Amino acid sequence: MPDTATPQDFTRLLAEYDLALARMQRSHDQLLGKVAELQGELQRKNDLLAHQSRMAMLGEIAAGVAHEIRNPLGGIRLYLDLLEREVKAQGSPTIGKIRGVVARLDRVVRDVLTHSRELHADCQPQALMNVVMEAVGLASLELTGSDVALAVDCAEGTAALDHDLVVRLLLNLVLNAAQAIQQRDDGREGGRVMVRSGRDANGSYFAVEDDGPGIPAEQMQRLFTPFFSKKEGGTGLGLALCRRIAEAHRGELRAANRPEGGARFELRLP
Ligand SMILES: Nc1ncnc2c1ncn2[C@@H]1O[C@H](COP(=O)(O)OP(=O)(O)O)[C@@H](O)[C@H]1O
Ligand SMILES: [Mg+2]
């Protein structure tokens, strides 16, 4: 190694220094980019966390309100029984209507409460027909006086399921179907809801079909999200709850439009 630097050495050194500087500038820019990216991610995570804690708080408030509403509702039912006896009006249409409204409120309250706790399915062998008939019976109570006809096509057979939960799921689906039919604005009066059940190679299924307006494509993905509702006075909890009931059975709940028009919801049990 010479002990005196030549001008060439100096030029080479300068070039190397320039290169190193350029490399440092590049990694500095990359770092800045990375920092900006991480800051963005942090912001998104913070927003999500804030949103989740807001939702959790809302859930708690909703559950509290639902609890408060539950007792007076029981009271109203009791007073209706008394009223019916007092006016000796067995099967009075007005009292029947009030009962229908009370039943609806009761369901909203139950849906909110069920949403705020863990859902466990207590599965026992059940006749498919019993489950379907109970749901259809409850639905027809609420559809008295409407021009929606209910039909059943149910095969014999049993499946392991939680009777009450699946009845609730079907009731939700049938009432949604009836409401969709009633909201139709093509001038047609009334419609039909078909409840099917059976077994095939893949397990058992329950399906609810209607001849309503069907589901708009842009809603398909969001139907099952809690609080998604296109209905005046809807809670948007029905389908979210139905999906949780399906999952508690390790089953699946899917929505589709029928080629002949209207919607079809299918619950598949393993
Ligand atoms: N059978 C159906 N036909 C068309 N749209 C439906 C049907 N069932 C549900 N939907 C749509 O899904 C939305 C969410 O339903 P749901 O979760 O039960 O809440 P809600 O009934 O309180 O609106 C409804 O508001 C409606 O827009
Ligand atoms: Mg509903």
Side-chain angles (χ1 to χ4, degrees):
M1 198 118 158
D3 44 11
T4 52
T6 65
Q8 287 93 327
D9 286 338
F10 190 64
T11 322
R12 191 170 43 81
L13 223 66
L14 214 61
E16 269 173 24
Y17 172 76
D18 276 349
L19 260 174
L21 202 66
R23 267 204 304 273
M24 267 167 70
Q25 185 64 47
R26 261 202 313 279
S27 63
H28 179 253
D29 288 349
Q30 277 169 354
L31 264 173
L32 276 186
K34 193 79 196 155
V35 167
E37 195 182 303
L38 284 175
Q39 264 170 346
E41 195 166 326
L42 193 65
Q43 185 63 46
R44 276 192 299 280
K45 291 261 157 70
N46 275 339
D47 289 349
L48 187 70
L49 211 63
H51 175 73
Q52 279 171 345
S53 78
R54 257 198 321 271
M55 290 308 277
M57 202 171 74
L58 262 179
E60 267 173 45
I61 294 173
V65 173
H67 259 299
E68 291 304 315
I69 296 177
R70 190 175 231 182
N71 289 340
L73 269 185
I76 295 177
R77 246 196 315 262
L78 207 72
Y79 292 134
L80 280 176
D81 290 342
L82 291 178
L83 187 67
E84 210 161 40
R85 248 178 274 156
E86 268 170 32
V87 299
K88 298 194 178 56
Q90 275 287 310
S92 138
T94 310
I95 294 181
K97 275 187 193 142
I98 301 177
R99 276 194 207 286
V101 179
V102 170
R104 184 181 130 67
L105 275 177
D106 210 35
R107 235 189 9 267
V108 173
V109 165
R110 274 181 51 173
D111 283 355
V112 171
L113 285 176
T114 315
H115 252 285
S116 56
R117 37 173 120 89
E118 288 284 312
L119 202 65
H120 170 73
D122 178 16
C123 294
Q124 307 286 342
Q126 303 283 347
L128 301 176
M129 184 59 104
N130 283 353
V131 178
V132 168
M133 289 321 286
E134 180 152 346
V136 169
L138 288 171
S140 64
L141 270 184
E142 283 192 51
L143 293 174
T144 342
S146 85
D147 45 9
V148 175
L150 295 179
V152 167
D153 175 12
C154 184
E156 278 187 21
T158 61
L161 51 84
D162 185 311
H163 179 271
D164 290 356
L165 287 183
V166 175
V167 166
R168 267 176 83 184
L169 177 148
L170 290 177
L171 178 61
N172 260 308
L173 294 182
V174 171
L175 293 178
N176 269 352
Q179 287 156 2
I181 288 170
Q182 286 161 340
Q183 278 187 338
R184 197 176 48 194
D185 53 9
D186 58 5
R188 259 176 69 195
E189 295 267 304
R192 194 172 81 140
V193 181
M194 175 69 123
V195 186
R196 298 181 196 278
S197 179
R199 289 184 65 91
D200 58 23
N202 298 323
S204 4
Y205 65 87
F206 293 87
V208 176
E209 302 169 357
D210 65 65
D211 54 6
I215 303 154
E218 74 276 9
Q219 287 180 21
M220 262 311 171
Q221 297 303 316
R222 299 160 62 205
L223 286 185
F224 299 96
T225 318
F227 304 112
F228 173 81
S229 175
K230 287 280 162 193
K231 238 170 261 174
E232 205 175 312
T235 61
L237 286 174
L239 286 178
L241 180 65
C242 289
R243 176 153 280 176
R244 285 190 60 201
I245 293 177
E247 282 165 0
H249 284 83
R250 277 192 266 270
E252 246 190 297
L253 178 64
R254 284 205 217 117
N257 282 317
R258 302 162 65 221
E260 55 274 64
R264 173 186 163 94
F265 286 80
E266 183 177 281
L267 168 68
R268 280 254 152 215
L269 296 179

